[in-house]
Short mmCIF file of all heavy atoms in Angstrom, two decimals:
data_model
loop_
_atom_site.label_atom_id
_atom_site.label_comp_id
_atom_site.label_asym_id
_atom_site.label_seq_id
_atom_site.Cartn_x
_atom_site.Cartn_y
_atom_site.Cartn_z
N PHE A 266 50.39 -4.79 -3.25
CA PHE A 266 50.47 -5.12 -1.82
C PHE A 266 51.93 -5.32 -1.43
O PHE A 266 52.69 -6.00 -2.13
CB PHE A 266 49.69 -6.40 -1.50
CG PHE A 266 49.95 -6.95 -0.12
CD1 PHE A 266 49.41 -6.34 1.00
CD2 PHE A 266 50.78 -8.05 0.06
CE1 PHE A 266 49.68 -6.83 2.27
CE2 PHE A 266 51.04 -8.54 1.33
CZ PHE A 266 50.47 -7.93 2.44
N VAL A 267 52.33 -4.70 -0.32
CA VAL A 267 53.65 -4.89 0.28
C VAL A 267 53.43 -5.14 1.77
O VAL A 267 52.78 -4.33 2.45
CB VAL A 267 54.55 -3.65 0.08
CG1 VAL A 267 55.90 -3.88 0.73
CG2 VAL A 267 54.72 -3.36 -1.40
N ASP A 268 53.94 -6.25 2.26
CA ASP A 268 53.75 -6.58 3.67
C ASP A 268 54.43 -5.54 4.56
O ASP A 268 55.36 -4.85 4.13
CB ASP A 268 54.29 -7.98 3.97
CG ASP A 268 53.61 -8.62 5.17
OD1 ASP A 268 52.81 -7.92 5.84
OD2 ASP A 268 53.87 -9.80 5.45
N ASN A 269 53.99 -5.46 5.81
CA ASN A 269 54.50 -4.43 6.71
C ASN A 269 55.67 -4.89 7.57
O ASN A 269 56.09 -4.19 8.49
CB ASN A 269 53.38 -3.92 7.62
CG ASN A 269 52.81 -5.03 8.50
OD1 ASN A 269 53.18 -6.19 8.40
ND2 ASN A 269 51.88 -4.67 9.37
N GLN A 270 56.22 -6.06 7.29
CA GLN A 270 57.37 -6.53 8.05
C GLN A 270 58.17 -7.56 7.26
O GLN A 270 57.66 -8.16 6.31
CB GLN A 270 56.93 -7.14 9.38
CG GLN A 270 55.98 -8.33 9.23
CD GLN A 270 55.48 -8.85 10.57
OE1 GLN A 270 56.10 -8.62 11.60
NE2 GLN A 270 54.36 -9.54 10.56
N ILE A 271 59.43 -7.73 7.66
CA ILE A 271 60.31 -8.71 7.04
C ILE A 271 60.20 -10.02 7.83
O ILE A 271 60.26 -10.03 9.06
CB ILE A 271 61.77 -8.22 7.04
CG1 ILE A 271 61.89 -6.97 6.17
CG2 ILE A 271 62.72 -9.29 6.54
CD1 ILE A 271 63.26 -6.32 6.19
N ASP A 272 59.99 -11.10 7.11
CA ASP A 272 59.89 -12.41 7.75
C ASP A 272 61.20 -12.75 8.45
O ASP A 272 62.26 -12.74 7.83
CB ASP A 272 59.55 -13.49 6.71
CG ASP A 272 59.28 -14.84 7.35
OD1 ASP A 272 60.25 -15.59 7.55
OD2 ASP A 272 58.12 -15.13 7.67
N LYS A 273 61.14 -13.03 9.75
CA LYS A 273 62.36 -13.26 10.52
C LYS A 273 63.06 -14.57 10.16
O LYS A 273 64.25 -14.73 10.41
CB LYS A 273 62.04 -13.26 12.01
CG LYS A 273 61.09 -14.37 12.46
CD LYS A 273 60.81 -14.27 13.95
CE LYS A 273 59.85 -15.37 14.41
NZ LYS A 273 59.57 -15.28 15.86
N ASN A 274 62.34 -15.50 9.56
CA ASN A 274 62.94 -16.78 9.19
C ASN A 274 63.62 -16.73 7.82
O ASN A 274 64.73 -17.25 7.65
CB ASN A 274 61.88 -17.89 9.19
CG ASN A 274 61.30 -18.13 10.57
OD1 ASN A 274 62.03 -18.14 11.56
ND2 ASN A 274 60.00 -18.30 10.66
N SER A 275 62.97 -16.09 6.86
CA SER A 275 63.52 -16.06 5.50
C SER A 275 64.25 -14.76 5.17
O SER A 275 65.00 -14.70 4.19
CB SER A 275 62.39 -16.26 4.48
OG SER A 275 61.45 -15.19 4.55
N GLY A 276 64.05 -13.72 5.97
CA GLY A 276 64.68 -12.44 5.67
C GLY A 276 64.14 -11.79 4.42
O GLY A 276 64.86 -11.07 3.73
N SER A 277 62.88 -12.04 4.11
CA SER A 277 62.27 -11.51 2.88
C SER A 277 60.93 -10.86 3.19
O SER A 277 60.36 -11.05 4.27
CB SER A 277 62.09 -12.62 1.85
OG SER A 277 61.27 -13.66 2.36
N VAL A 278 60.44 -10.10 2.21
CA VAL A 278 59.17 -9.38 2.36
C VAL A 278 58.16 -9.95 1.38
O VAL A 278 58.45 -10.12 0.19
CB VAL A 278 59.37 -7.88 2.08
CG1 VAL A 278 58.06 -7.12 2.27
CG2 VAL A 278 60.44 -7.31 2.99
N GLN A 279 56.97 -10.24 1.85
CA GLN A 279 55.89 -10.72 0.99
C GLN A 279 55.33 -9.56 0.17
O GLN A 279 55.04 -8.49 0.71
CB GLN A 279 54.77 -11.34 1.84
CG GLN A 279 55.10 -12.71 2.39
CD GLN A 279 55.03 -13.79 1.32
OE1 GLN A 279 54.30 -13.67 0.35
NE2 GLN A 279 55.79 -14.84 1.51
N MET A 280 55.16 -9.79 -1.15
CA MET A 280 54.62 -8.77 -2.03
C MET A 280 53.65 -9.41 -3.02
O MET A 280 53.63 -10.63 -3.17
CB MET A 280 55.76 -8.05 -2.78
CG MET A 280 56.79 -7.40 -1.87
SD MET A 280 58.13 -6.57 -2.75
CE MET A 280 57.25 -5.19 -3.46
N ARG A 281 52.89 -8.55 -3.69
CA ARG A 281 51.90 -9.06 -4.64
C ARG A 281 51.72 -8.04 -5.77
O ARG A 281 51.72 -6.84 -5.55
CB ARG A 281 50.57 -9.28 -3.92
CG ARG A 281 49.50 -9.95 -4.78
CD ARG A 281 48.27 -10.23 -3.93
NE ARG A 281 47.61 -8.99 -3.52
CZ ARG A 281 46.78 -8.89 -2.50
NH1 ARG A 281 46.51 -9.95 -1.76
NH2 ARG A 281 46.22 -7.73 -2.19
#
Side-chain angles (χ1 to χ4, degrees):
F266 168 75
V267 179
D268 205 353
N269 61 356
Q270 60 184 339
I271 296 175
D272 186 272
K273 63 181 180 180
N274 296 318
S275 64
S277 59
V278 182
Q279 285 285 332
M280 302 180 69
R281 186 175 67 200

